[in-house]
Amino acid sequence: MKPYRILFSMLSVAVLMTSCQKQPTASFKTDKSVYVAGETIKLTSTSTDASNYKWTMPDGQTSATKDVDYTLNVNDQSQSLLFKLEVSSKNDKKKDEATQTVIENAATGNIVFWQIAGSGFGTTTVQLNGFSSDITLDMTSVPSCGESGCATFNSVKVGFYNYTATDGSTTWSGTVQIQKNQCKTMQLY
């Protein structure tokens, strides 16, 4: 009879240990709700009674740490991103999960096309990414971003773009790179 009592006692202890663990509640916060491509999202667990963590990122990557930093690709387009956190009790028998969506905006930059004073060109029309703008003034030095009289393109998504420009007799063309939060100046000769 003693072996049965020992087995019963062990089963009783196991049941008590399992039932004593609290039900975890999954929750987390981000450091903000809208991000720009290239930024890092800080994911902080605010879960209660959790011992194990499993994060699932929008790209399918996973992490088992309590808190996570997730860096966005600088070339990402605007989109909604879904993050998921699964938590469980110490014995992994009680579980809960939470999801949260954040907004990612594409990274942008600016570009200014200009001509030097005395170049002899008239009004020059520049086309970039389906938009056009005119150079109406010749500059004596490199202009600042947004300076009047230049062909300015603001909030252009990061990437490489072909441009064309013409004053009616001369045509320019090439490729320019727009970089995050930068203003590029492009002189037409």
Side-chain angles (χ1 to χ4, degrees):
M1 283 302 248
K2 279 189 170 183
Y4 291 111
R5 285 187 189 182
I6 292 172
L7 181 60
F8 180 74
S9 295
M10 289 173 54
L11 285 172
S12 297
V13 168
V15 168
L16 284 174
M17 295 283 288
T18 301
S19 62
C20 289
Q21 292 192 23
K22 294 181 180 179
Q23 173 66 41
T25 302
S27 63
F28 64 96
K29 65 181 181 175
T30 57
D31 53 326
K32 54 187 184 175
S33 59
V34 179
Y35 296 84
V36 175
E39 291 184 327
T40 298
I41 300 173
K42 295 195 176 295
L43 301 158
T44 304
S45 174
T46 55
S47 304
T48 56
D49 300 316
S51 293
N52 304 303
Y53 302 86
K54 181 185 177 191
W55 294 91
T56 304
M57 310 306 161
D59 61 5
Q61 291 183 48
T62 60
S63 174
T65 61
K66 182 179 178 187
D67 301 321
V68 174
D69 287 349
Y70 181 78
T71 302
L72 301 169
N73 186 308
V74 74
N75 295 315
D76 283 352
Q77 298 302 308
S78 297
Q79 61 185 326
S80 294
L81 301 170
L82 179 67
F83 293 89
K84 179 178 172 182
L85 172 61
E86 299 171 82
V87 297
S88 62
S89 58
K90 195 171 200 170
N91 65 3
D92 218 26
K93 295 201 185 257
K94 296 182 179 183
K95 300 179 181 194
D96 193 30
E97 66 181 51
T99 60
Q100 188 172 341
T101 302
V102 298
I103 304 298
E104 176 186 17
N105 291 320
T108 62
N110 304 319
I111 186 165
V112 174
F113 290 86
W114 65 287
Q115 295 169 326
I116 194 84
S119 62
F121 301 114
T123 298
T124 301
T125 301
V126 181
Q127 293 190 342
L128 176 79
N129 198 29
F131 296 96
S132 64
S133 182
D134 292 334
I135 300 172
T136 57
L137 298 174
D138 290 342
M139 301 289 148
T140 55
S141 61
V142 177
S144 60
C145 202
E147 192 165 328
S148 176
C150 299
T152 301
F153 298 88
N154 292 318
S155 299
V156 179
K157 290 179 184 175
V158 167
F160 290 90
Y161 295 91
N162 293 323
Y163 72 88
T164 59
T166 185
D167 70 349
S169 62
T170 305
T171 300
W172 299 264
S173 64
T175 302
V176 294
Q177 181 181 12
I178 305 298
Q179 295 179 315
K180 182 180 177 181
N181 298 330
Q182 293 187 15
C183 181
K184 181 176 185 74
T185 56
M186 183 78 172
Q187 181 183 359
L188 300 178
Y189 296 95

